[in-house]
Amino acid sequence: MDGTQVAFYLLAGLAVATSVLVVTGRNPVASLLFLVLSFFCLAGLFVTLEAHFLAAIQILVYAGAILVLFLFVIMLLNLGQGEPGLGLPSVPVLALSALSGLAFVALLVFTVREADIAPITPARIEAVDLAGQATVGSTEAIGTALFRDFLLPFEVTSLLLLVAMVGAVVLAKRER
Amino acid sequence: MDGTGLAISLAKAGFVAFLLLNAVPLLVWLERRGAAFIQDRIGPNRTSIAGFALAGLVQPLADVVKFMFKEDFVPPSANRTFYLLAPIITLIPALMTFAVVPFADVVRIGERLVQMQVADLNVGILYVFAIASLGVYGVVLAGWASNNKYSFLGSVRASAQMISYELSMGLSVLGLVMVFGTLQLDDMVRAQGARLFGVLPLWGIVLQPLGFLLFVISVFAETNRLPFDLAESEAELVVGYHTEYSSMKFATFFMAEYIAMTTGAALIVSLFLGGWQVPFVSSETLNGWTADLLGPGAGSWLAALIQFGSFSAKLGFFLWLFIWVRWTLPRFRYDQLMRLGWKVMLPLALANLLVTAAVLLVIDGAAGR
């Protein structure tokens, strides 16, 4: 095993362990902090794939902004102190959860089987470099992908987010 | 990475950590003496070792001893785990951010060219924002875990403020990123060695004056310094999120604040004031002079030392500016702070970005690219 593999198994193992702790923990604040750790491990995995930009964005957007908002909400709802466990949900809810979980697994299996996932090795990255293209996962490569190859889907996504934001403001204002 | 490379990396990391940790007592001293100077007082000058007070410089030593040996009290109603974690979570991101700041040009050791920067990451400035955005966790957890309404109010304010100003901070730098075409701080500093009409150093502040202003204001808000220290605001919230912290745990928050201040000032210098560039002397010229004097190996060291001096002088000025502003301006009201962040800074940063992009497009079009 070389260094990258050691790093992969370490980070992947930690990511799985912390993700399990997120759902099993009783204290919501602790769960959230484990989620932050899990996102960190994911960012680490991106780094081992030479995708530094994705790693930075993963921390900046998810760990640094979205989860802070989650933390904010949890604290304002004051769930942390001696809240009794919610117990098992009802049978229909359990069935629905199992169903959606299975659907997600099926989606993953099909995607992984269809996709061309060749391991990104240093040799491959250098080969791409020599062909005069941007390095895999670098800022330049992501910029080209987002703003040249997939410009329309990217803009549509941002529009969707804007609509959601405006919708949330409208809903919040109507209360008064 | 071979053994020598590892040793060099460790030496650089150690040097930066040493620099940051020792900046704290010096800044505390500067803050107190600066406050005294501005308010026409003398400031701390009585603590002495064998009769030497060194203009009050011994005072931070006494402070450290006091912090170490004071009673360490954990409030019984506090959530112990998070209460103890919070100062650590605050200090670590503060220490990590400095890693991408370059403090001199490359130095020659034998055949090896060594960059005077702990880590030259492809994502550069994004790393700074990513790590800096984590600092808010410590503040929020401290306020919440203390189980005290003043602490909690302080931490709620701090997190809203930090998230709001992170936006204009990031956007104000984007203009500069577009002009230089890179995210790497070292490349940015190198690009600032150019000169406009052969006279004016082409620093970030010349290219992006509005970006500079917005960035400096955002750094003040991000570091919770006056006039934006609403997270503490002694008059209404005792001292906000760290009200319940005593002895060295309080000192840890203190250290994190001053280290964040140093890193913020270092970023302002690197992005907008040419970093380690010596004004009017390009790195090549300087290296040429020192190489004539001492030969290429030792010459590059002397050049790096001079550049580090230039970097430190600029850094020192901005650290003084932080203190100067603190004792000059009164605190904002909370709604004023939010209005400034969202209705003034953010639109200005967006406009700056748009204008910069348009100008770059025209220039590139004229050059036929």
Side-chain angles (χ1 to χ4, degrees):
Chain A
M1 269 206 301
D2 60 359
T4 322
Q5 270 176 318
V6 174
F8 169 77
Y9 283 113
L10 204 71
L11 289 167
L14 259 174
V16 171
T18 46
S19 304
V20 169
L21 285 169
V22 172
V23 282
T24 52
R26 277 289 152 102
N27 185 337
V29 175
S31 289
L32 189 122
L33 290 183
F34 280 125
L35 196 57
V36 175
L37 271 183
S38 165
F39 282 178
F40 252 95
C41 297
L42 272 186
L45 286 176
F46 286 143
V47 170
T48 62
L49 294 172
E50 301 284 331
H52 296 129
F53 183 80
L54 272 187
I57 290 296
Q58 167 86 10
I59 294 179
L60 182 63
V61 175
Y62 286 96
I66 293 182
L67 288 186
V68 173
L69 282 182
F70 277 30
L71 187 63
F72 218 65
V73 172
I74 290 174
M75 285 175 178
L76 288 179
L77 292 177
N78 210 12
L79 289 172
Q81 275 118 30
E83 194 81 355
L86 295 172
L88 270 183
S90 61
V91 177
V93 172
L94 271 181
L96 266 180
S97 324
L99 209 66
S100 51
L102 277 178
F104 182 65
V105 169
L107 182 72
L108 265 187
V109 168
F110 284 125
T111 324
V112 170
R113 279 173 107 192
E114 288 292 311
D116 161 40
I117 307 180
I120 294 177
T121 55
R124 193 173 160 219
I125 289 163
E126 254 163 51
V128 176
D129 244 351
L130 286 178
Q133 287 174 19
T135 314
V136 179
S138 74
T139 316
E140 293 86 354
I142 296 210
T144 318
L146 279 187
F147 295 106
R148 189 171 297 157
D149 305 343
F150 300 102
L151 180 63
L152 188 68
F154 179 74
E155 291 299 334
V156 170
T157 315
S158 64
L159 207 63
L160 201 67
L161 286 174
L162 185 68
V163 170
M165 210 157 74
V166 172
V169 171
V170 168
L171 283 177
K173 279 266 172 184
R174 213 167 48 185
E175 295 288 310
R176 275 186 265 151
Chain B
M1 198 186 282
D2 59 302
T4 330
L6 189 67
I8 291 172
S9 291
L10 281 176
K12 284 192 287 189
F15 175 69
V16 167
F18 175 83
L19 210 70
L20 284 177
L21 290 173
N22 282 289
V24 176
L26 272 177
L27 281 172
V28 173
W29 171 77
L30 191 67
E31 181 107 73
R32 290 187 168 175
R33 295 291 288 200
F37 170 66
I38 287 171
Q39 296 171 344
D40 205 12
R41 295 184 281 116
I42 293 172
N45 66 344
R46 295 304 169 93
T47 318
S48 61
I49 295 175
F52 292 102
L54 300 172
L57 258 176
V58 182
Q59 182 68 39
L61 274 179
D63 287 343
V64 170
V65 172
K66 190 177 106 176
F67 278 132
M68 293 277 193
F69 290 105
K70 256 191 147 177
E71 187 192 353
D72 190 20
F73 182 73
V74 180
S77 61
N79 186 328
R80 208 181 152 82
T81 321
F82 297 127
Y83 179 87
L84 298 181
L85 263 178
I88 304 170
I89 297 180
T90 317
L91 185 62
I92 289 174
L95 275 170
M96 278 170 75
T97 331
F98 205 92
V100 290
V101 176
F103 41 85
D105 201 358
V106 285
V107 161
R108 199 185 295 272
I109 304 178
E111 287 298 295
R112 201 186 277 269
L113 288 175
V114 180
Q115 268 185 320
M116 290 290 109
Q117 177 186 23
V118 176
D120 189 19
L121 300 176
N122 174 268
V123 289
I125 190 77
L126 270 182
Y127 164 85
V128 173
F129 292 140
I131 301 298
S133 68
L134 298 173
V136 66
Y137 279 105
V139 175
V140 174
L141 278 177
W144 177 77
S146 303
N147 212 352
N148 168 325
K149 58 188 169 205
Y150 298 119
S151 301
F152 186 60
L153 274 176
S155 72
V156 168
R157 281 181 176 189
S159 44
Q161 174 182 335
M162 282 164 116
I163 291 173
S164 306
Y165 280 79
E166 238 165 54
L167 288 174
S168 36
M169 187 169 162
L171 285 173
S172 62
V173 175
L174 273 191
L176 211 60
V177 170
M178 287 198 298
V179 172
F180 291 138
T182 177
L183 287 168
Q184 272 148 292
L185 278 158
D186 196 47
D187 292 351
M188 288 189 185
V189 173
R190 219 167 282 281
Q192 291 178 65
R195 260 176 274 172
L196 191 65
F197 312 126
V199 199
L200 196 62
L202 207 52
W203 287 352
I205 187 172
V206 178
L207 295 162
Q208 291 273 306
L210 184 62
F212 168 74
L213 192 68
L214 293 172
F215 188 75
V216 171
I217 297 174
S218 308
V219 168
F220 270 86
E222 283 292 300
T223 49
N224 281 326
R225 293 280 302 184
L226 259 162
F228 304 119
D229 72 334
L230 287 118
E232 297 185 25
S233 52
E234 304 89 327
E236 31 187 313
L237 295 181
V238 196
V239 281
Y241 60 90
H242 52 60
T243 303
E244 296 286 358
Y245 283 86
S246 49
S247 80
M248 204 55 206
K249 292 196 193 65
F250 166 74
T252 312
F253 282 115
F254 216 61
M255 281 161 70
E257 182 186 324
Y258 281 102
I259 290 172
M261 208 169 111
T262 314
T263 311
L267 284 175
I268 296 173
V269 167
S270 300
L271 290 169
F272 292 98
L273 282 137
W276 44 255
Q277 299 276 5
V278 181
F280 305 111
V281 184
S282 75
S283 192
E284 289 76 35
T285 322
L286 186 66
N287 268 300
W289 288 346
T290 52
D292 285 346
L293 205 65
L294 295 170
S300 73
W301 277 96
L302 181 62
L305 205 65
I306 294 170
Q307 284 163 341
F308 181 65
S310 164
F311 175 76
S312 310
K314 294 173 194 171
L315 188 69
F317 171 76
F318 275 97
L319 288 172
W320 168 245
L321 184 75
F322 273 101
I323 291 165
W324 187 1
V325 168
R326 174 170 179 181
W327 301 103
T328 308
L329 293 181
R331 184 178 299 128
F332 273 55
R333 220 170 51 215
Y334 198 67
D335 59 323
Q336 292 170 330
L337 173 90
M338 282 292 145
R339 201 181 310 140
L340 179 72
W342 290 100
K343 293 191 176 169
V344 180
M345 306 262 300
L346 190 63
L348 275 180
L350 283 171
N352 183 42
L353 197 62
L354 199 69
V355 171
T356 309
V359 169
L360 281 179
L361 203 65
V362 169
I363 292 176
D364 275 11
R369 265 175 283 166

